[in-house]
Amino acid sequence: MKHLSILGSTGSIGRNALSIVAMHPDKFNITVLAAARNIILLSKQIKKFKPRMVVVLDEVHAHKLESLLEKNQRPEIMFGTKGYINAASYRNSDIVLLAMVGAAGLMPAIAAIKAGKNIALANKETLVMAGDIIISKAKEKNVTIYPVDSEHSAIFQCLQGNKQKDLKKIFLTASGGPFRKKSISEFKNIQLKHALNHPTWDMGPKITIDSATLMNKALEIIEAVHLFNLNPCSIEVLIHPQSIVHSMVGFKDGSIIAQMGIPDMKNAISYAISFPRRLELELEFPDFTSIKELYFEKPDTSKFPSLEFAFEACKQGGTLPAVMNAANEIAVNNFLKQKINFPDIFKIIRKTMELHKNIHNPELSDIIDADIWARQISQSLI
Ligand code: MG
């Protein structure tokens, strides 16, 4: 029996994780659930999974949640940053699924590592912002970080039984998003509802826009560099619209191992929370004879400069990856509010990165300052 904390329980990853737990009640016990504002769904999750502790965004939401629960159903309810940190380091948990969106995942990740908790990491921004610090702290505390991002789970799965030193190349696949075939002149006419319509994966709004801009892949390049200790030059991004091959690892003897499956997050989540065991998930296999061929193409970086931002951020290091991430969060937020158009997202990220005075070998406080700086600058560009 594993005792599991889920931070971000009402989002797409959190809901999928709870559906896995519901399928395997003999293997998991939910100790903590943390969400932000979706109190109605959270209250249902509490009634079903009976966590010991629950965290929400603020006091108002905490009171609302309390009013939805009978006295005898109420776990300990906390709120805010302190609450999330307590949730991440909760003493009775074996593993923490970190599935909060954006930079908000950073401090809970640090707290979980400090408390010596293994992490199933769905929040890629944490490694993008502070990968060096996170990885070295995790090593120090003997904490394992299991990837939940489907591509990184694929790489992790391909590496099982192999030696890291034999790894030569990573083929990081990307669906290409809904605008792969659009010409750059059409980009300014892209509407929010089209951007929110992802062709293969069902995800939250932020990551869906990130997929449309390929910023999701940009963040994943940096995430992979940290998780697998890679030279960025060894990563090749391949557009693979069918999303059947979730990524591939090339070894020094010329072998390539691919991890495949239908696009369903439950595979990666279950592998992360139950490693090294595989769970029965009742997922279908792809029907290869009806797919007929698997298609791959080079990404067009003149249309989608995000990948160049990522390689530049990797090359420069320091606080630049955190700045790239923060500028993207602000740009996406404003696109979701329909305050800027689609190509503006790239302009804002590029300009903010250009304006940044990079700090090398940053402390955590430098990274947090750079994040705040980048948010202010990118907002002022809108
Ligand atoms: Mg992914």
Side-chain angles (χ1 to χ4, degrees), residues 195-232:
L196 284 175
N197 194 8
H198 194 276
T200 48
W201 292 96
D202 178 18
M203 306 171 293
K206 198 261 177 186
I207 186 165
T208 303
I209 303 301
D210 284 349
S211 295
T213 57
L214 293 198
M215 264 318 279
N216 184 51
K217 214 48 52 181
L219 298 170
E220 287 178 359
I221 290 171
I222 305 175
E223 186 186 8
V225 163
H226 290 296
L227 273 174
F228 304 108
N229 191 21
L230 301 173
N231 181 334

Side-chain angles (χ1 to χ4, degrees), residues 43 55 70 101 124 170-171 227 232 238 269 290 358 366 381:
S43 69
V55 185
E70 305 286 334
V101 180
K124 61 193 85 189
I170 296 288
F171 299 90
L227 273 174
L238 293 173
I269 298 167
S290 75
N358 201 5
D366 297 322
L381 294 170

Side-chain angles (χ1 to χ4, degrees), residues 188-290:
K188 59 182 186 301
N189 303 322
I190 287 170
Q191 288 178 19
L192 178 62
K193 60 173 188 245
H194 301 133
L196 284 175
N197 194 8
H198 194 276
T200 48
W201 292 96
D202 178 18
M203 306 171 293
K206 198 261 177 186
I207 186 165
T208 303
I209 303 301
D210 284 349
S211 295
T213 57
L214 293 198
M215 264 318 279
N216 184 51
K217 214 48 52 181
L219 298 170
E220 287 178 359
I221 290 171
I222 305 175
E223 186 186 8
V225 163
H226 290 296
L227 273 174
F228 304 108
N229 191 21
L230 301 173
N231 181 334
C233 304
S234 66
I235 301 175
E236 180 178 353
V237 174
L238 293 173
I239 302 297
H240 170 50
Q242 295 136 325
S243 302
I244 297 293
V245 175
H246 301 319
S247 277
M248 303 183 263
V249 178
F251 295 93
K252 65 183 182 188
D253 62 356
S255 278
I256 296 171
I257 300 183
Q259 190 265 344
M260 292 189 256
I262 58 163
D264 188 308
M265 280 311 297
K266 284 199 281 296
N267 174 273
I269 298 167
S270 76
Y271 199 66
I273 61 177
S274 68
F275 181 85
R277 275 201 244 164
R278 287 190 184 271
L279 299 180
E280 175 60 64
L281 293 177
E282 286 162 18
L283 294 176
E284 308 251 327
F285 291 121
D287 180 355
F288 286 106
T289 53
S290 75

